Amino acid sequence: MFKNYISIAIRSMRKHTGYALINLFGLAIGMAAMGISYQQFVDGGNIIAYDLQPLLDIHLGSEFDIDIQTSGSMTYVLLFSAIAIFILFLACINFMNLATARSATRAREIGVRKAVGSDRGQLVVQFLFESAFMTVLALILAAGFVWLALPTFNAIAGLQLTISSLITPGFLGYLLIGAILVSLVAGLYPALYLASFDPAIVLKSETFSAGSRSKLRNTLVVFQFGISICLLIGTFVVQDQLNYIQNKRLGFDKEHVIVVSRGFELDSQFDAFKQELKSNSNIVAVGAANSIPGEIHG
């Protein structure tokens, strides 16, 4: 019953210092640096707590500063999921507007079908099946693009995703549910709209116009452009931020700096090690610090 709870973290907090010692080794070093014993550490109001951490929660739900892997962020997952849903919704709105805008080309077809006995329900089902067909076709094309772009995405993101790892019963179930929802959202309004044509008016008129004053259609167009503008603004802001991060002058050439970790192991031999490095003509300068700029140490 505990197979998912085998990652144990040992935490200790010392009051008024603002840092955490994450393991027993760090705790021993910290107490030695402060010149106190373990009993003095406990008497000072500090605690050592043992926490069970589910392995499946480490990647996106870890609350520890140091863990067995680099943690992700659920906030980013939700953010990009929301953006994807907005883009998909915009595609549905686009399909609605295009389907209703070309309604005049199908008016006579609808009139003839109603004249020979088709009722509104049959027409709605037909248009929904057409929407489902377009959705499935788009899904197949999207899967092909994913297969082609996956190697590039893995290289950029530093991942090792494969198509076989994505094709799981759960994932395919989500795709099926998504395809059904998209078919309904994109196709229901056009289906109801087209099936509502009066066959007498359609068949008598040489030219048929469904009109363009639908409040719902105008609202959808405004909403579509509003969301598109927001996404474009967000894209430009993120692009500027990334450009700033990548091109900000740091005060040193980070491409020509080598960091040797655990330098404290040299202890009294550091000066000799430093001179040995400086004797190399390829090395311009040697220095030491207790941390790398940007990293946090207790």
Side-chain angles (χ1 to χ4, degrees), residues 1-7 52-57:
M1 64 182 291
F2 293 104
K3 63 181 181 179
N4 289 329
Y5 296 85
I6 60 176
S7 175
L52 293 177
Q53 182 185 40
L55 290 179
L56 297 179
D57 292 349

Side-chain angles (χ1 to χ4, degrees), residues 44-111:
N46 303 287
I47 61 171
I48 297 179
Y50 294 83
D51 295 324
L52 293 177
Q53 182 185 40
L55 290 179
L56 297 179
D57 292 349
I58 291 177
H59 182 62
L60 294 177
S62 177
E63 298 179 354
F64 301 121
D65 293 330
I66 301 176
D67 220 319
I68 61 175
Q69 69 169 26
T70 302
S71 298
S73 173
M74 179 57 73
T75 302
Y76 290 145
V77 173
L78 296 177
L79 175 63
F80 286 116
S81 298
I83 293 174
I85 291 174
F86 271 123
I87 293 175
L88 188 60
F89 190 54
L90 289 179
C92 292
I93 293 176
N94 217 25
F95 181 85
M96 294 181 198
N97 291 332
L98 290 175
T100 53
R102 56 189 287 267
S103 58
T105 62
R106 305 196 63 177
R108 292 193 180 279
E109 172 197 345
I110 297 168

Side-chain angles (χ1 to χ4, degrees), residues 106 109-110 123-132 187 190-191 194-195:
R106 305 196 63 177
E109 172 197 345
I110 297 168
L123 292 174
V124 169
V125 172
Q126 174 194 340
F127 294 132
L128 285 177
F129 269 109
E130 292 178 3
S131 172
L194 294 173

Side-chain angles (χ1 to χ4, degrees), residues 10 38-39 41 56 70 78 86 90 120 124 174 210 227 282:
I10 302 171
Y38 173 73
Q39 189 59 45
F41 178 81
L56 297 179
T70 302
L78 296 177
F86 271 123
L90 289 179
R120 183 176 181 181
V124 169
Y174 285 128
I227 295 298
N282 294 316

